[in-house]
Amino acid sequence: MADTMEGVLIQKDDNDNLKDLIIIGRSGNGLTSVEQSIHEDNEYRVIDSKGIGDAGQDITLLERRQHYFNLRDQLRQIHAILFIMKYGIRFTQQEKDAVSVVRSTFGENVFKAKVVIVFSYGDLFRQDMTEATDLDECFMTWCRDQIGDIKTVFEEADYRCVLFDNKTRDIDRKTKQWLQLKSNIQKVEHVNFTIDERLSQNQAPTNVVAVMGERTLLSKLIDNIKELVHIIIVVTNFYVHLL
């Protein structure tokens, strides 16, 4: 059974004992394959917020955050949040914005308490690491070797990272990667987690406002530079014409 609420699909089951998993990720990051694996296990239900962070516009971030406020009222308990990323692409501003929205909605400690990071397109990782004798160990080494903002996210999530081959048809591989994902979910599903009381107010989060402010200043700076370049070109053409 499925209900639609303001653009968010909520998969429901008549069994009230099902555990709630929220899936967050950009369209094209392999969300559907992860969902299908979860649906094959009768222990969980999926709460899917489609394509968070897809658009680069700031208003979209605020709108998606509103979806989370609506979702939060529907949850009995957050057992785990699956943050889906695609192997082979860099940690873009859109992913950073998605991280900011999740933190501002569920609290600054949410990655530490409830998030499991899933890297889809594991087949690409397999192709890059053809000489690896132990792919799982190689993947964890790769995760720990990352630097910058993505390293901070990994550390907050205590390196609960899972490689997911969303294209494989190998039954054994599908079973193994689901068991790995489930094992990481079980690490956080019983962790007591309380959403910050201040987040009950539907206000723009400070860090998202900061992002908006930074982009506004950058846009103004770019516009000023363009205007200055235009003036220089006009003046130059004027003097060239005089000569």
Side-chain angles (χ1 to χ4, degrees):
M1 177 180 179
D3 290 344
T4 302
M5 181 181 64
E6 295 190 12
V8 180
L9 180 66
I10 302 180
Q11 298 290 349
K12 293 186 177 180
D13 195 284
D14 294 333
N15 188 347
D16 289 337
N17 293 323
L18 292 181
K19 299 172 182 177
D20 292 334
L21 301 179
I22 299 177
I23 294 185
I24 298 171
R26 293 172 56 192
S27 298
N29 276 13
L31 279 72
T32 301
S33 297
V34 177
E35 286 183 31
Q36 289 174 347
S37 294
I38 295 171
H39 287 319
E40 293 174 2
D41 190 306
N42 295 324
E43 190 174 347
Y44 302 96
R45 74 166 180 167
V46 176
I47 299 177
D48 179 10
S49 181
K50 297 291 185 182
I52 181 173
D54 274 341
Q57 298 178 1
D58 299 310
I59 186 63
T60 303
L61 294 177
L62 299 179
E63 288 174 346
R64 293 188 185 284
R65 182 173 182 265
Q66 181 61 50
H67 290 330
Y68 279 104
F69 277 117
N70 295 333
L71 275 175
R72 197 178 63 191
D73 294 335
Q74 301 291 319
L75 297 174
R76 297 183 300 271
Q77 179 182 351
I78 301 173
H79 290 88
I81 297 175
L82 307 184
F83 193 85
I84 314 297
M85 300 181 65
K86 181 178 178 180
Y87 173 77
I89 63 172
R90 63 188 181 87
F91 192 57
T92 66
Q93 185 61 49
Q94 289 177 318
E95 272 80 19
K96 294 177 185 178
D97 289 344
V99 169
S100 295
V101 172
V102 174
R103 283 179 179 151
S104 62
T105 303
F106 295 107
E108 289 297 324
N109 293 325
V110 65
F111 274 83
K112 179 179 180 180
K114 286 294 180 181
V115 169
V116 176
I117 300 170
V118 181
F119 271 92
S120 60
Y121 288 81
D123 57 308
L124 299 181
F125 184 84
R126 190 180 302 275
Q127 292 174 15
D128 288 345
M129 307 295 174
T130 53
E131 298 181 0
T133 56
D134 188 331
L135 194 67
D136 295 333
E137 182 178 344
C138 184
F139 173 66
M140 290 310 302
T141 299
W142 176 84
C143 289
R144 294 184 184 279
D145 286 344
Q146 299 307 299
I147 60 175
D149 292 330
I150 193 171
K151 178 181 178 65
T152 301
V153 174
F154 285 173
E155 289 177 341
E156 287 184 27
D158 197 23
Y159 288 94
R160 291 186 296 270
C161 302
V162 178
L163 186 65
F164 206 88
D165 186 345
N166 50 305
K167 292 186 177 181
T168 185
R169 296 184 179 181
D170 186 288
I171 300 300
D172 291 338
R173 186 174 297 170
K174 284 184 175 182
T175 301
K176 180 181 179 181
Q177 65 188 17
W178 164 241
L179 291 177
Q180 289 176 332
L181 177 55
K182 186 174 181 178
S183 174
N184 279 275
I185 292 172
Q186 290 172 338
K187 291 178 182 178
V188 299
E189 65 182 26
H190 298 299
V191 174
N192 291 327
F193 180 69
T194 302
I195 299 172
D196 293 348
E197 185 65 27
R198 63 183 175 82
L199 296 176
S200 62
Q201 301 176 358
N202 292 350
Q203 299 176 352
T206 303
N207 47 1
V208 173
V209 171
V211 170
M212 294 173 66
E214 289 173 2
R215 290 186 178 179
T216 300
L217 291 174
L218 180 60
S219 298
K220 289 181 178 179
L221 178 60
I222 292 174
D223 290 340
N224 290 337
I225 292 174
K226 288 181 178 179
E227 184 176 354
L228 179 60
V229 170
H230 176 70
I231 293 174
I232 292 174
I233 292 174
V234 171
V235 172
T236 301
N237 289 338
F238 175 75
Y239 279 104
V240 169
H241 181 71
L242 288 179
L243 294 175

